[in-house]
């Protein structure tokens, strides 16, 4: 099973439609669960101490959604970048290695708490580019879908 735990709600209709489309496509390959945790209000003038409180509160909500047996992949700027084929191979090796429950974590706009990072089994960097968090969900779902297609040798544009 694939689970995505993400901070914040998707508000944009177009992104909701894309998420629904990729969720539907993935249903032929795996069980998928998307869990949203509420985000904390952040202000531009917040001190680092205030930002740490935000990360801690959001982190507690994230960790409450992760079970002990789940393999956790945290999307993180300091993670390892993988191309689509390497990502497909990573997922395949996890599944064949006995990790049947994989959870992806998308933190809030300020990142995640040290506790969430410590819980992660793998840090994955999607890109050197910066994306809105809502769009990251779509990109993540598309890459998971692409990975399943690659694993099965099914056609998918490059």
């Amino acid at each position: 099973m694939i689970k995505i735990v993400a901070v914040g709600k998707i508000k944009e209709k177009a992104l909701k439609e894309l998420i629904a489309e990729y969720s539907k496509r993935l249903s032929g390959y795996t069980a998928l669960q998307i869990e949203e945790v509420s985000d904390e209000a952040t202000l531009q003038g917040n001190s680092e101490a205030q930002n740490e409180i935000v990360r801690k509160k959001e982190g507690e909500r994230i960790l409450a959604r992760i079970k002990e047996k789940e393999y956790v992949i945290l999307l993180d700027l300091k993670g390892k970048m993988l191309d689509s084929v390497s990502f497909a191979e990573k997922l395949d090796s996890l599944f064949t290695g006995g990790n049947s429950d994989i959870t992806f974590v998308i933190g809030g706009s300020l990142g995640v708490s040290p506790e969430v990072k410590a819980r992660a089994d793998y840090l994955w960097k999607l890109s050197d580019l910066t994306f809105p968090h809502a769009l990251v969900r779509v990109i993540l779902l598309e890459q998971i879908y692409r990975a399943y297609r690659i694993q099965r040798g099914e056609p998918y544009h490059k």
Side-chain angles (χ1 to χ4, degrees), residues 5-8 36-42 46 48-65 105-116:
V5 178
V7 174
E36 295 178 331
V37 299
S38 60
D39 54 349
E40 290 290 312
T42 56
N46 271 6
E48 184 51 35
Q50 290 168 314
N51 287 342
E52 190 54 43
I53 291 169
V54 168
R55 285 189 287 270
K56 182 171 178 49
K57 287 180 180 180
E58 290 174 348
E60 289 169 355
R61 292 181 194 128
I62 291 168
L63 292 171
R65 302 293 181 102
V105 174
I106 303 171
S109 61
L110 298 175
V112 296
S113 66
E115 292 82 6
V116 172

Side-chain angles (χ1 to χ4, degrees), residues 79-125:
K80 181 176 180 180
M81 287 182 62
L82 301 171
D83 62 24
S84 295
V85 172
S86 297
F87 177 62
E89 291 168 351
K90 172 78 176 164
L91 283 183
D92 189 51
S93 71
L94 288 172
F95 287 129
T96 57
N99 296 295
S100 59
D101 295 320
I102 299 174
T103 298
F104 292 87
V105 174
I106 303 171
S109 61
L110 298 175
V112 296
S113 66
E115 292 82 6
V116 172
K117 258 193 184 173
R119 174 58 183 91
D121 297 295
Y122 188 82
L123 301 181
W124 181 34
K125 181 178 184 176

Side-chain angles (χ1 to χ4, degrees), residues 16-52:
K16 285 182 181 181
E17 289 171 356
L18 284 168
I19 289 168
E21 175 63 25
Y22 280 108
S23 297
K24 179 179 156 190
R25 290 182 187 190
L26 277 165
S27 68
Y29 297 96
T30 187
L32 174 69
Q33 193 174 3
I34 299 175
E35 298 186 16
E36 295 178 331
V37 299
S38 60
D39 54 349
E40 290 290 312
T42 56
L43 304 172
Q44 290 292 335
N46 271 6
S47 68
E48 184 51 35
Q50 290 168 314
N51 287 342
E52 190 54 43

